[in-house]
Amino acid sequence: MTRLYQIDIMTLFPDTVGDMLCESILGRAQERNIIRINTWQIRDFTTNKQNQVDDYPYGGGHGAVMQADPLYRCWAHICQQAGQRLHTIFLSPCGHVFRQADALRLRDGYDRFIMVCGHYEGIDQRFIDECVDEELSLGDFVLTGGEIPAMAIADAVCRLVPGVLSTPECYENESHWAGMLEYPQYSRPEVWHGRAVPPILLSGHHANIEKWRRKQSILRTRERRPDLYEKLDLSSKQDRRLLAELEAEAQEQDKQ
């Protein structure tokens, strides 16, 4: 029996997050009970009539800070429902930058985990210290809230869960799976705006097509992500041949 993979998202905008993650591939996977993405309204766990979740920061400063208690009450409710303390992630610009390796780690390491979406000027550090296991960021920039990172991470993780996509090949040949960027893709028509599909892709010679795709991945990674390229192991006989071909092609272009 296929396990049910669950993600719980604590947010001030559960409808927005839930609606987005119930569409397309993830929506169909939820209908088939392969994954479940639960969204929780943090305001439902306040103890005041105004459902207030934020207050002025101690020490002064602009904006407001999300209070620890509503967050804790929401978090504790989810853990109680699950029957265990769940791995908890806070989406924060101070966190580790999320990578494909993190998507695999979260898929393989947890059947269910929580993501906490902050807002305003952040959340009370005491909640982070007591309940959060790790902090993740989408990159070196700041957003108005954690909902976009939560949706991005949920999508990245859930599409790797067995049964969500038709076969593992759907993601194993993509960018970042093996530390490389994906090769260019083409579809019909054969010629569009005077631009033709590379002839090799029309040849029907699968070995040559795979060789071309590998070479294009190496080239694209070298040109666009030299940081990734430096980490690649291209010592195999096949890759050395491809590198030699790329070098010869570059020299030929320089002569023209």
Side-chain angles (χ1 to χ4, degrees), residues 164-255:
V164 173
L165 300 180
S166 56
T167 65
E169 286 78 11
C170 291
Y171 53 77
E172 288 178 352
N173 292 326
E174 293 179 328
S175 293
H176 302 293
W177 178 260
M180 300 175 67
L181 301 185
E182 188 178 8
Y183 49 81
Q185 297 277 15
Y186 298 87
S187 185
R188 291 181 175 82
E190 185 175 329
V191 178
W192 178 81
H193 288 200
R195 300 174 184 269
V197 173
I200 186 66
L201 299 179
L202 308 175
S203 68
H205 196 300
H206 297 297
N208 286 346
I209 290 172
E210 288 305 311
K211 175 184 173 183
W212 179 87
R213 286 175 169 171
R214 176 74 177 177
K215 185 161 69 172
Q216 292 300 313
S217 288
I218 292 172
L219 179 62
R220 180 174 278 189
T221 305
R222 186 171 69 184
E223 291 179 342
R224 301 187 183 185
R225 291 294 303 273
D227 57 320
L228 295 178
Y229 182 79
E230 290 177 359
K231 300 175 184 178
L232 291 178
D233 180 4
L234 302 175
S235 60
S236 70
K237 186 176 181 179
Q238 179 191 26
D239 284 340
R240 290 199 305 270
R241 286 178 178 174
L242 294 178
L243 289 171
E245 290 180 12
L246 287 170
E247 183 64 26
E249 291 169 4
Q251 292 178 358
E252 186 64 29
Q253 288 180 356
D254 290 341
K255 292 178 183 179

Side-chain angles (χ1 to χ4, degrees), residues 45-66:
F45 296 87
T46 57
T47 57
N48 55 76
K49 294 181 180 180
Q50 297 79 23
N51 297 124
Q52 181 180 349
V53 297
D54 63 293
D55 210 330
Y56 296 111
Y58 279 119
H62 295 288
V65 174
M66 292 185 70

